[in-house]
Amino acid sequence: MKQIPVFLTLTIICAVLFITSSCRDNTMGSVEREDLFSLEIGPMEDQIALYRLDGNRGIRRMGFTMRDGLFYIADGNSGKIVRYNSYGDLLFMIYNEETNPPPVTLKTNISDDEQATRWAYSYPLEEPGWITVDSRRHIYVEDRLPYNQQRSDSETRALLDGIILHFDQNGRFINYLGREGIGGSPFPRIIGLNTSIRDEIAITCRIPEGWEIYWFNSSGMLLYLVKISSSSIPALADWPDALAVVDSITSSPDSRNLYMKVNYSRDTFDQLTYTRTGSEPIISVIWTLNIEDGTYTGSVEVPLFEIIENPRLPGVSVFYSVLGTARNGRMLLYFPVETGYSLLFIDTKSREQRRGFIQFSIDELRYNDFFLSADGILSAMLADNFYVKMVWWRTDRYIGTSGEAP
């Protein structure tokens, strides 16, 4: 295992970025939505417990991912993991017997040599959240330890309460990952979980003074530990005193790279009293970090989104947020607008940009969660008071990852 002290390499890079406008900009327009299937909200096997079920369980995190047209949902409220095809057929379920009713339509207690088309396995899931699936269809899901098994790290002052559960393609439990690998100690707060090249697993954690990224191979061996300090974020050459805030850190699905989006702002002052009145955005930058040697290998600027309420008045500049990362360094960003999301696609290598839009109803804004696949397909869970809708937009056809002409 190789530990990379990233904070030692940042000062070399900090003085090299000058604000330019070198990106090509195109428009991909409105992206057509495909509604795939809907699930009722509730506790049964073919339902999703999106909202509070009883007075003893609060609203917990939901996680979902899509790979090869299959949808995997980690239901933190009920303590279960389900897999659906794109037609809405429930294929299998991993469930906690104490928080779920017994399956009715799924076969249980399947032996290794028994054939079944729809089945269920029990496992004492506590609070599943982040979820990812590799090319073998192996499932990795975040789970939180019970309160009496959580601990604190005296060095980082972080609460250690998370593990990564590993299930095979049929839903059978294999092992769990901790910080040192298989069976290791708990992780600090997990804010990202992804598969990468050669079915490697990247786990992004937040600690009080920065971030830790644990990178494992497909066998559960820790390959790299990347530490990024909040005090050592790259600076802008034109604005060395600008406030730098890390918006997101995402891992590449096809290389040993991290993409760190940093928002840069400057203070604003009253011209008469010279007292600080607030801050305003300058620009965002996506930094590419090679985890093998801890160096920044590139950067691309992200333009600001302009909110224009009155054409006769100047607009307001705001930051985009990251939706996800596809293959070949292609990223999708968004900003919420009245009837949907305004999209910005950026190729971190060629610096090409395209803008687009996805639309959904006001009722669907009550709850929405998005996932961008490695192929560039944008999927979402959208919910109202009664149903969870699974939808997708074929953004891969617009950002050049589907093999079709954009």
Side-chain angles (χ1 to χ4, degrees):
M1 188 274 293
K2 182 179 180 182
Q3 178 171 322
I4 301 176
V6 175
F7 52 90
L8 295 180
T9 69
L10 297 185
T11 54
I12 301 174
I13 311 297
C14 289
V16 300
L17 182 67
F18 294 84
I19 299 178
T20 62
S21 300
S22 59
C23 298
R24 292 175 288 159
D25 195 352
N26 299 295
T27 300
M28 60 184 183
S30 181
V31 185
E32 184 178 358
R33 163 176 152 178
E34 296 181 42
D35 287 18
L36 301 176
F37 60 93
S38 297
L39 303 171
E40 292 183 349
I41 294 176
M44 304 305 292
E45 62 196 67
D46 205 15
Q47 297 176 330
I48 297 298
L50 185 63
Y51 303 133
R52 184 188 300 271
L53 294 177
D54 54 55
N56 296 322
R57 295 176 67 87
I59 298 176
R60 299 184 173 184
R61 192 185 185 283
M62 302 288 295
F64 93 98
T65 189
M66 189 279 292
R67 184 158 188 156
D68 302 326
L70 298 175
F71 289 81
Y72 301 78
I73 303 173
D75 187 341
N77 284 316
S78 64
K80 70 181 179 184
I81 301 166
V82 288
R83 182 171 78 186
Y84 288 87
N85 62 22
S86 60
Y87 299 102
D89 299 320
L90 177 60
L91 303 179
F92 76 68
M93 177 174 69
I94 307 167
Y95 69 104
N96 186 331
E97 293 181 345
E98 296 183 358
T99 56
N100 288 271
V104 176
T105 64
L106 301 178
K107 192 168 184 179
T108 58
N109 301 318
I110 305 296
S111 62
D112 291 342
D113 56 355
E114 189 175 359
Q115 297 294 321
T117 56
R118 302 171 69 240
W119 62 93
Y121 289 104
S122 65
Y123 186 87
L125 294 164
E126 182 72 19
E127 191 176 339
W130 292 96
I131 185 171
T132 191
V133 176
D134 68 15
S135 66
R136 303 167 296 180
R137 295 187 179 174
H138 283 209
I139 300 169
Y140 295 85
V141 63
E142 168 206 12
D143 201 9
R144 292 190 66 189
L145 293 174
Y147 179 77
N148 60 359
Q149 297 181 28
Q150 299 175 10
R151 64 185 76 167
S152 297
D153 188 316
S154 58
E155 181 181 351
T156 64
R157 296 178 289 110
L159 176 65
L160 307 178
D161 64 349
I163 57 174
I164 302 297
L165 303 176
H166 179 191
F167 300 90
D168 69 11
Q169 70 274 18
N170 295 316
R172 294 183 177 91
F173 176 74
I174 297 178
N175 52 43
Y176 77 88
L177 294 178
R179 290 184 296 172
E180 298 81 14
I182 296 174
S185 59
F187 294 99
R189 181 163 66 96
I190 297 172
I191 61 171
L193 173 62
N194 301 96
T195 55
S196 187
I197 189 171
R198 306 185 193 97
D199 290 331
E200 295 174 352
I201 305 298
I203 303 166
T204 305
C205 299
R206 188 71 165 97
I207 59 176
E209 296 182 354
W211 297 261
E212 293 180 344
I213 297 90
Y214 297 81
W215 200 284
F216 300 88
N217 68 12
S218 60
S219 299
M221 178 184 296
L222 181 59
L223 300 177
Y224 303 95
L225 169 57
V226 180
K227 296 185 177 183
I228 302 176
S229 170
S230 299
S231 60
S232 302
I233 303 303
L236 297 175
D238 294 341
W239 299 91
D241 296 327
L243 174 64
V245 176
V246 174
D247 177 52
S248 68
I249 299 176
T250 58
S251 58
S252 168
D254 60 347
S255 66
R256 288 178 173 172
N257 285 327
L258 295 172
Y259 298 101
M260 182 171 68
K261 178 176 175 289
V262 182
N263 297 334
Y264 296 91
S265 303
R266 62 180 177 181
D267 291 334
T268 56
F269 297 89
D270 183 276
Q271 294 183 353
L272 296 178
T273 62
Y274 204 70
T275 56
R276 184 179 181 276
T277 59
S279 63
E280 63 180 7
I282 300 174
I283 200 167
S284 294
V285 177
I286 297 172
W287 297 87
T288 302
L289 173 62
N290 184 307
I291 68 163
E292 294 180 336
D293 59 16
T295 61
Y296 288 102
T297 59
S299 62
V300 61
E301 299 152 20
V302 181
L304 301 175
F305 181 80
E306 297 291 330
I307 301 176
I308 301 176
E309 296 182 353
N310 187 334
R312 298 180 180 179
L313 299 175
V316 177
S317 298
V318 292
F319 296 116
Y320 280 97
S321 297
V322 175
L323 267 178
T325 304
R327 294 190 181 98
N328 298 317
R330 298 166 186 253
M331 300 189 69
L332 196 61
L333 300 94
Y334 75 99
F335 186 83
V337 292
E338 184 176 359
T339 57
Y341 280 175
S342 177
L343 300 180
L344 176 66
F345 152 76
I346 289 185
D347 188 321
T348 61
K349 296 180 180 179
S350 69
R351 303 191 179 189
E352 179 185 1
Q353 297 181 11
R354 291 197 182 104
R355 300 175 190 270
F357 178 76
I358 56 174
Q359 185 173 10
F360 38 89
S361 68
I362 295 178
D363 289 341
E364 293 168 339
L365 292 173
R366 185 183 304 273
Y367 176 90
N368 55 75
D369 190 14
F370 292 84
F371 174 75
L372 184 71
S373 72
D375 298 322
I377 299 174
L378 180 63
S379 305
M381 293 177 60
L382 308 175
D384 54 25
N385 287 329
F386 306 102
Y387 294 96
V388 174
K389 300 177 184 177
M390 306 303 298
V391 307
W392 69 23
W393 295 265
R394 292 301 304 270
T395 45
D396 57 323
R397 297 171 179 168
Y398 291 83
I399 65 178
T401 60
S402 67
E404 303 177 19

